[in-house]
Amino acid sequence: MRKLTFLLFILLINVLQSQKFDNLAQTPPMGWNSWNTFATDINEELVKDIADAFIDLGLKDAGYEYIVLDDGWSTRERGENGELIADPKKFPSGMKALADYIHSKGLKFGLYNCAGSKTCAGYPGSRGHEYQDAKTYASWDVDYLKYDWCNTGKLNAEEAYITMRDGLKAAKRPVVFSICEWGDNEPWKWGKDVGHLWRVTGDITPCWDCELGHGNWSSWGIWKIINMRKGIREASGPGHWNDFDMMEVGNGMTQGEDRVHFGMWALFASPLIMGNDLRAASKETLEILTNKEVISVNQDPLGIQGFRFMNENDIEIWIKPLANDGWAINFVNMSESKKELNYDWKKEHIGDNTVNRNLEVDKFTYEIRDLFKKQDLGTTKNNLKATIEGHDILMVKLKKK
Ligand code: GLA
């Protein structure tokens, strides 16, 4: 009997260890990642400046928390004992000191690695070193790991990500685990028990709807990304998010396009990871990134990913149910010229069958708030009338009266 109890105890310990860290990323993670602007040209001063900018520019106050170093932070080879080493030229004080700096500002620290033998930029990958690397991250007080998929040969994705998840669990420091295999192996089908977010496509690039070829792979404009994955919204929710990639707000699109990008990522409950140089960000870019009303749609506690409702006269209408019977609605002008919106709330029934929620405009009145202009726009008793510039958005929140 004693032996049986002991065996059951061991089994329970094993089961508990082979689970991801619970209760992390209950709302979509918010932060900054170095890749979109700096690629491997990263260093200690830059990261400290970004941490300072989080405080000085009101980004921390708006909810941004994680500062994530992407590819290129380590030396080209592992150390004598197979350990990862921070590049001493780029990070002379070491990763633990950098983590301490970030933590001293009340922020969290993330790193990047890869399931393959090498990262995408050719630095040491974690294959065969998963548990060792997880211990290294724990010793540096890392809070977030983005884990990529280059140089993986015939590895099975789910198994490879489970190995790293278990390594992180064994190292005992809670880490948000960000799966980055570009949607190739449909992580929305298996990612929930493995990580806290998973990329749904290949890399983003700052354009409206372009495809940028790089030989054997492409990067994608925002509308290519939005339209690439249909029917996966049910996979997303508190603790397990569809990740539409790091944002390109402030990286070259027009202000209207940046608003559309931010408003759509918010409506998708996608992680909001900034990818611009915060030290050089314009007032207009910061106004978009720190818009608390839009962010509150993204961070809504129900964590429901929005969906496409219809297209009327080149205006895309996307919808997201919110807590307290609220709704977020994005009206996006897909054309390049100005459009007049005249939306009759009674014309089409708005509802979300998957969560059994309906906008009951016949029974109730909803107050309408323009989230980018921060203005009240009356109620659903009347048609919603507005001018929307080309490639721009009217994002509204409906609140039951
Ligand atoms: C892949 C990822 C990017 C970035 C680079 C780094 O392309 O999808 O987000 O991490 O690798 O090399």
Side-chain angles (χ1 to χ4, degrees), residues 49-240:
D49 286 351
I50 296 292
D52 295 347
F54 264 52
I55 311 298
D56 301 342
L57 303 177
L59 293 157
K60 180 185 177 205
D61 183 50
Y64 295 93
E65 191 178 19
Y66 293 95
I67 296 188
V68 182
L69 275 179
D70 208 284
D71 210 349
W73 58 264
S74 77
T75 50
R76 285 277 173 188
E77 302 295 334
R78 288 176 176 270
E80 273 179 3
N81 300 312
E83 75 280 20
L84 287 170
I85 302 173
D87 183 330
K89 288 206 189 79
K90 295 175 178 172
F91 300 97
S93 315
M95 285 305 171
K96 174 70 169 79
L98 193 56
D100 287 348
Y101 188 84
I102 290 171
H103 289 144
S104 76
K105 307 260 162 184
L107 301 169
K108 293 195 168 139
F109 178 46
L111 279 180
Y112 159 101
N113 212 311
C114 183
S117 49
K118 287 199 179 304
T119 70
C120 298
Y123 292 82
S126 280
R127 186 165 184 190
H129 291 271
E130 293 86 352
Y131 281 64
Q132 181 182 22
D133 291 351
K135 270 195 183 161
T136 303
Y137 303 143
S139 76
W140 291 341
D141 290 346
V142 167
D143 307 294
Y144 183 110
L145 177 66
K146 172 177 169 184
Y147 203 54
D148 213 343
W149 190 240
C150 278
N151 305 303
T152 45
K154 292 198 163 52
L155 274 189
N156 172 293
E158 182 176 357
E159 283 168 18
Y161 281 94
I162 284 177
T163 305
M164 194 66 223
R165 171 201 73 185
D166 291 351
L168 293 170
K169 198 73 194 282
K172 295 197 169 67
R173 179 176 173 88
V175 167
V176 170
F177 189 33
S178 156
I179 297 171
C180 175
E181 59 69 76
W182 322 308
D184 290 359
N185 300 276
E186 305 183 312
W188 45 88
K189 291 189 176 157
W190 48 263
K192 185 175 178 190
D193 295 329
V194 183
H196 303 92
L197 58 155
W198 48 81
R199 279 271 297 279
V200 295
T201 68
D203 292 5
I204 194 169
T205 195
C207 68
W208 183 249
D209 194 29
C210 70
E211 173 180 351
L212 208 65
H214 307 273
N216 57 356
W217 63 285
S218 291
S219 46
W220 310 98
I222 56 168
W223 280 95
K224 282 276 183 304
I225 289 192
I226 292 169
N227 287 319
M228 215 178 299
R229 301 291 177 211
K230 306 231 160 72
I232 62 169
R233 61 184 287 256
E234 286 85 355
S236 201
H240 49 95

Side-chain angles (χ1 to χ4, degrees), residues 32 34 38 40-50 69 72-73 87 89-92 98 279:
W32 178 88
S34 50
F38 299 98
T40 58
D41 189 15
I42 48 181
N43 62 65
E44 193 169 296
E45 282 316 307
L46 167 69
V47 181
K48 286 181 161 177
D49 286 351
I50 296 292
L69 275 179
W73 58 264
D87 183 330
K89 288 206 189 79
K90 295 175 178 172
F91 300 97
L98 193 56
R279 302 166 310 179

Side-chain angles (χ1 to χ4, degrees), residues 282-322:
S282 69
K283 189 174 140 280
E284 292 77 15
T285 295
L286 288 169
E287 211 171 289
I288 295 173
L289 290 170
T290 57
N291 185 320
K292 289 185 183 173
E293 299 192 41
V294 175
I295 290 171
S296 82
V297 168
N298 175 264
Q299 297 288 302
D300 183 77
L302 294 183
I304 299 171
Q305 182 178 320
F307 62 99
R308 183 174 187 273
F309 179 57
M310 62 188 280
N311 183 306
E312 197 176 75
N313 182 27
D314 234 1
I315 295 180
E316 285 276 312
I317 306 179
W318 291 70
I319 291 180
K320 172 176 160 60
L322 302 172

